[in-house]
Amino acid sequence: MSAVADLTIAGIRDGFRAGDFTAREVAETFNANVAGARGLNAFLVETPEHALAAADLADKARAGGEELKPLSGVPLGIKDLFCTAGYQTTAASHILEGFVPTYESFVTAKLFGAGAGMVGKLNLDQFAMGSSNETSFFGNVISPWRRNDGGNAALAPGGSSGGSSAAIAARLVPGATGTDTGGSIRQPAAFTGISGIKPTYGRCSRWGIVAFASSLDQAGPMARDVRDCAILLETMAGFDAKDATSLDLPVPAWEAGLSADLRGKTIGIPKEYRVDGMPAEIEALWDKGIAFAKDAGAEVIEVSLPHTKYALPTYYIIAPAEASSNLARYDGVRYGQRELPDGANLQEMYAATRAAGFGPEVKRRILIGTYVLSAGFYDAYYTKAQKVRALIARDFEQVFSKVDLLLTPTAPSAAFALGEKSDDPVAMYLNDVFTVPASLAGLPAMSVPGGLDSHGLPLGLQLIGRPLDEQGVLNAGLAIEQRAGFTARPDRWW
Ligand code: GLN
């Protein structure tokens, strides 16, 4: 594998500018890596020509002495939840198979406008519903990591952005887009030893991203390190009049603002996150993170977020409620697949299309969602969940009057084996216990690699910040990254 594939986005950007290599060489390297790792099933569509075209433009610009763009020469993977003009966008569902958008999502338009090219569309959990990538209609992604004890079970790359996390960990792309509704950037990042940040709700436009739960969905970058996340987020964020929840605020210069000096910062350790049954290795990782934060100059104190235990049930009412409404649009008329049994009328066509087009997890969410929104149960479930969501947000607000950031593990376990939880939706939902609270409160949150467990698998630490304080989150992430010195990478075994 070419050494270029080991470079970070910053390394590619700077090396390209310095004339160390051409953008075409970079694109060809990653295109070849994508083609050589099909066994991971990380990509649903390969788009080598897109990456090459962007690279040729970058090379031409450099040769002509033109000013280069922030991502000139950088190839990326795009989660197949982002609409890409002229390229199939499926949300890993059968119902959207064959759907080729005529328009570009806001976020991908910004990335491509900044000079990035696309090597392909990345696999994910169907409609971003899942924590293991196993709900994809096109088969699960396999994590490039393996346990070091000879256990050969294929591992989950996390979900829903499992294609993104696997591709980055396997050096098929230096960075990728992810989306996070309840943890889908952070948990897969943790499972694969990479970094990812979900910005404050409203930082990145949702326009052109297939909707799951609109009050929670946020796009964000996934990459090998904190600096690369800052670089990508600077391009992905920004106001968009086409998204009514987009924040009309300037985008800070996060990369230039990076500092690993945490002196003067107070970091809270929420005691309710010490959940029953948490493995000792996760506790130990958390303690290590606390020591890193102190070493970087932060004061660390214990804090309380009393409504934490209601976060998962609240999320698993609100997210399916919104999903059931958002997914009503897939009717066999407007997009993708249609099932038209002989002699079927319109209603029967809708029913047949949706029965064949949605996978079991998506159907489960639609059923739960329509149930909690139904006339007889609306107040008992949906209204109650909205009230609890406000209490969870208030917990954070109160704690952020005392501390600048919160530090927790990202997930209660390392990567589990494919198949281990796929028959038990509740066990799967429990894996989101540490990520959903920040989603419900719309807060910026990041996962950075903290170390390896005794099986040689990556574990992630999560930083949660005040609304709009991505800089604080990135800086604390950087302080941890520098001290964790995480250099482990998966063997090339696939
Ligand atoms: N695992 C969570 C779910 O299944 C979160 C998914 C996400 O963030 N898109 O809903």
Side-chain angles (χ1 to χ4, degrees), residues 79 127-131 159-160 179-185 212 217 315-316 319 361 365 428-429 432 436:
K79 184 177 183 179
F127 286 104
M129 299 173 186
S131 308
S160 64
T179 64
D180 191 311
T181 303
S184 280
I185 287 176
F212 164 11
D217 296 345
Y315 173 85
Y316 278 98
E361 182 61 28
R365 308 264 179 134
M428 192 70 89
Y429 299 166
D432 303 334
V436 294

Side-chain angles (χ1 to χ4, degrees), residues 267-290:
I267 295 190
I269 306 299
K271 64 175 188 225
E272 290 79 6
Y273 281 52
R274 292 201 188 276
V275 292
D276 284 347
M278 184 151 80
E281 292 199 273
I282 302 288
E283 290 269 4
L285 165 88
W286 202 359
D287 289 341
K288 220 166 77 179
I290 292 170

Side-chain angles (χ1 to χ4, degrees), residues 160-180:
S160 64
S161 310
S164 308
S165 65
I168 295 165
R171 309 300 196 259
L172 313 185
V173 280
T177 61
T179 64
D180 191 311

